[in-house]
Amino acid sequence: LALQIEVNKRMSHNWMLNASFSYQKSKKHLAVSDLVELNNYDYYEGAEVSESVSGSGLSDFWLSNRWMFKLSGIYQMPWGLNLSTTVQVRDGNPYARSRRYGLNEGGRYISESGKQLGDERLPTMWILNFGLEKNFKVSESCNATLLVDWYNATNNQIVQKYNRTLGSGSTALAPVMWTNPGLFQGGGRVNF
């Protein structure tokens, strides 16, 4: 089940806007042969469709947002200044809690009983960015642009990953990754 609504206002009267909202709901259905460990069958069968992805030395990111809202816009101010903004808000990704057991053939992760993937989610993620730029005409074939960007303007620190392992120790559900802090960036561009 999915729904997407999109609104576009093309550049006119010195401004433009693009906004979209999407919603999705999906369930995973497995054959018993789909899992190596049958102990995890109930955790994934009938649960939300979400896959664990990894890369660049990171692992155990379960990607699946039930809903997402995005908005971007530009306003052309006097004196050739352009003000832009982007807002992104999305449902938090699910996270899987499990306990690692050492077995004869190596370690295995066994998921928490009585729950399914998607029952527990990371906090709602939202980011607000701003940009300001000024264009200069240097010659007939050359333009220069000065720009200032402000990323994560509210400096919100939203948890993006928890420690995966269940347990009573200090690492149980310990946050290990957050959104990047607010950042200013300035620069220039020359087109010729």
Side-chain angles (χ1 to χ4, degrees):
L1 174 66
L3 169 72
Q4 181 170 344
I5 300 169
E6 187 171 329
V7 176
N8 286 303
K9 195 271 184 194
R10 307 242 188 264
M11 179 64 80
S12 65
H13 300 93
N14 296 330
W15 68 284
M16 66 164 285
L17 179 79
N18 177 288
S20 67
F21 174 80
S22 61
Y23 173 82
Q24 67 174 356
K25 186 69 174 168
S26 55
K27 297 281 185 183
K28 181 182 286 191
H29 298 288
L30 303 170
V32 174
S33 61
D34 289 340
L35 287 175
V36 175
E37 300 126 358
L38 292 178
N39 292 313
N40 292 328
Y41 183 81
D42 290 337
Y43 189 75
Y44 294 101
E45 169 56 29
E48 186 171 335
V49 174
S50 180
E51 301 301 326
S52 175
V53 297
S54 60
S56 300
L58 300 172
S59 62
D60 294 328
F61 284 97
W62 298 83
L63 299 180
S64 180
N65 312 115
R66 294 173 294 194
W67 58 268
M68 183 177 353
F69 172 76
K70 296 187 293 185
L71 180 138
S72 60
I74 295 175
Y75 178 69
Q76 294 178 323
M77 302 188 316
W79 307 293
L81 292 170
N82 293 326
L83 176 64
S84 62
T85 187
T86 59
V87 178
Q88 298 177 18
V89 185
R90 67 168 167 77
D91 188 27
N93 287 319
Y95 63 90
R97 285 203 279 171
S98 58
R99 189 180 304 277
R100 182 172 166 80
Y101 289 93
L103 304 172
N104 291 338
E105 66 274 8
R108 293 281 186 259
Y109 284 100
I110 298 180
S111 302
E112 186 174 9
S113 65
K115 294 191 177 183
Q116 287 189 310
L117 181 64
D119 287 350
E120 298 177 294
R121 304 187 80 81
L122 295 168
T124 298
M125 200 280 296
W126 62 278
I127 297 287
L128 173 64
N129 301 322
F130 291 105
L132 183 65
E133 66 178 40
K134 167 72 173 152
N135 294 313
F136 299 93
K137 184 174 182 177
V138 178
S139 70
E140 288 298 319
S141 61
C142 182
N143 293 322
T145 304
L146 294 178
L147 53 101
V148 176
D149 293 314
W150 188 10
Y151 300 107
N152 192 5
T154 57
N155 198 32
N156 51 354
Q157 301 288 295
I158 300 168
V159 175
Q160 296 294 292
K161 180 177 164 64
Y162 284 117
N163 184 320
R164 180 178 179 189
T165 305
L166 283 169
S168 58
S170 61
T171 62
L173 289 182
V176 293
M177 180 181 267
W178 298 263
T179 52
N180 291 328
L183 171 72
F184 280 104
Q185 173 182 290
R189 199 170 50 234
V190 177
N191 297 325
F192 55 93

